[in-house]
Amino acid sequence: MEYYQQQGWTDGLPVMPVTETYLAEFLAATDRRPGEVLFSVAHLNRELTVKLAAVNAALAGCRPDYFPVVVAAWEAISQEPHPPRGIWQSTTGTAPFTVVNGPIRQRIELNSKGSIFGSGFRANATIGRAIRLALINVFGLRPHQLDQATQATPAKYTACIGENEEESPWAPLHTEYGFAAGDDVVTAFVVRSVMHIEARHTQIPEQLAFDFADTIRRTGALIHEYSNALLVLSPEHAQVFAGAGWTKDDLRSAIYHNAVRTRVDLAAVGKDALSRHTRWRLPGDHPDAMPDSASTSPCPERVRIMSGPGSVQIMVAGANNAGVSAVVEIFGLAPRDRPSSYSKITTP
């Protein structure tokens, strides 16, 4: 382990030694060829093969039966649309964020209930870590080198959760992409932060939806013209909406219509216009400034923060013990009604 540390093959924490015999157990857990490329970054001229993914999964402490999830996660990540995949080197400090659906959650004991963003579960911790270690060891994304994060996020170590399908009043996330409820599926996001919402005070869905919208519409998160969010509801909050007859689409619509800032709000923080070149937000008096899309709307003084209701993804996870949910800030291209980054988990 000390040798691995000296070679820079870790994320700062000790890793598992990997032998050829142990590696063979991982490769036997998938029907993919060891030399098959799962992910590539052209501007770095580097590729991740199935074998390299297996090496890093073993280093991370995965069990071999976790490896099909890791492979599916890389397949989902490969669909990320951000050109030229430089998002992983962003100064914003983005990280991979993986959501797992389907019966495989029980088979590998992947946590979807209490403490989903915390520690204590090997599958969650090591599957997410396998992605990070490959970004370090295969693509060279080390801090102070190719990883240019200014402050980063704890999700850079690991970020993998399951959906609490059993306590959700709605169909699970992956069925919205056309999969059957019994399919095992990984959805990959690019995450910036996770913000928790304490809302134990109300059983009125409109009030709760506005609380979520107010979190999403904060100006500090508004980098581009529009924002995207993954809403991770606790079962208790999901039941508030479902008990009032709300569907996921009703909640999406409510958040979209309430995620609004005034032009005055945006001018106060210097985000009332867009860059002609990058379309990032900047002050209206900047030489590179151009009007945003809202400026030509019937009410230009009210600026929508999201391109449409589909900019909000919704899932249920966590314990059914308190009114605590989370908004996961995710990157996405606008308009973009659904994330395209998902993959079915397959085993031999």
Side-chain angles (χ1 to χ4, degrees):
M1 288 190 290
E2 290 301 322
Y3 177 75
Y4 285 9
Q5 181 71 43
Q6 292 166 7
Q7 303 308 305
W9 297 340
T10 83
D11 51 9
L13 294 171
V15 292
M16 290 288 291
V18 182
T19 64
E20 288 288 350
T21 302
Y22 191 45
L23 180 61
E25 294 183 40
F26 284 80
L27 295 176
T30 179
D31 57 4
R32 311 296 288 271
R33 292 176 290 102
E36 184 176 347
V37 174
L38 293 174
F39 185 68
S40 63
V41 178
H43 73 277
L44 296 177
N45 194 30
R46 299 183 186 186
E47 297 179 332
L48 175 80
T49 63
V50 171
K51 182 176 181 179
L52 289 174
V55 168
N56 284 279
L59 284 170
C62 287
R63 293 194 327 226
D65 57 332
Y66 300 173
F67 189 53
V69 182
V70 175
V71 171
W74 279 114
E75 290 179 324
I77 289 169
S78 71
Q79 300 173 41
E80 269 298 325
H82 299 281
R85 304 191 182 188
I87 195 71
W88 301 117
Q89 298 173 255
S90 170
T91 55
T92 304
T94 55
F97 183 85
T98 302
V99 174
V100 181
N101 281 99
I104 198 168
R105 293 169 301 122
Q106 281 81 26
R107 295 199 301 273
I108 65 173
E109 298 179 311
L110 189 137
N111 182 35
S112 63
K113 296 186 177 181
S115 192
I116 53 167
F117 295 111
S119 61
F121 296 87
R122 181 176 178 180
N124 300 64
T126 60
I127 289 170
R129 192 187 186 201
I131 304 300
R132 168 54 52 194
L133 286 175
L135 290 176
I136 292 171
N137 293 323
V138 178
F139 299 104
L141 302 189
R142 296 180 177 84
H144 302 184
Q145 296 179 28
L146 293 182
D147 184 340
Q148 295 294 306
T150 303
Q151 293 187 325
T153 164
K156 286 249 187 190
Y157 276 107
T158 181
C160 174
I161 66 173
E163 180 162 16
N164 188 349
E165 300 174 18
E166 293 73 24
E167 295 185 270
S168 172
W170 298 311
L173 178 68
H174 66 302
T175 62
E176 298 182 39
Y177 314 143
F179 294 101
D183 288 339
D184 296 320
V185 177
V186 168
T187 305
F189 297 96
V190 176
V191 59
R192 289 193 294 157
S193 66
V194 176
M195 296 176 292
H196 288 87
I197 296 97
E198 290 270 352
R200 310 167 195 241
H201 62 290
T202 184
Q203 294 292 305
I204 299 173
E206 289 82 2
Q207 292 179 348
L208 193 54
F210 188 84
D211 220 1
F212 295 144
D214 193 52
T215 300
I216 292 169
R217 69 177 188 157
R218 69 185 184 93
T219 59
L222 194 57
I223 300 175
H224 304 103
E225 182 168 19
Y226 298 112
S227 290
N228 296 265
L230 169 66
L231 184 59
V232 182
L233 293 175
S234 65
E236 183 175 314
H237 279 160
Q239 291 292 348
V240 169
F241 293 112
W246 284 38
T247 65
K248 283 187 182 180
D249 283 339
D250 292 330
L251 178 53
R252 287 188 184 100
S253 181
I255 290 175
Y256 167 68
H257 288 293
N258 285 299
V260 175
R261 299 304 300 233
T262 68
R263 184 71 60 186
V264 172
D265 287 340
L266 296 181
V269 296
K271 293 184 175 181
D272 51 315
L274 301 177
S275 164
R276 297 178 189 277
H277 295 96
T278 66
R279 295 193 68 83
W280 284 39
R281 286 203 168 269
L282 43 65
D285 58 0
H286 191 281
D288 188 38
M290 61 176 281
D292 59 24
S293 300
S295 64
T296 59
S297 70
C299 187
E301 293 307 307
R302 284 175 54 81
V303 181
R304 293 201 182 279
I305 301 304
M306 315 191 96
S307 64
S311 295
V312 184
Q313 305 303 309
I314 299 171
M315 63 175 288
V316 176
N320 191 21
N321 61 5
V324 179
S325 292
V327 168
V328 180
E329 292 181 318
I330 56 175
F331 267 92
L333 298 180
R336 185 182 176 198
D337 286 339
R338 290 288 187 271
S340 59
S341 305
Y342 45 83
S343 178
K344 188 173 180 178
I345 301 167
T346 58
T347 55

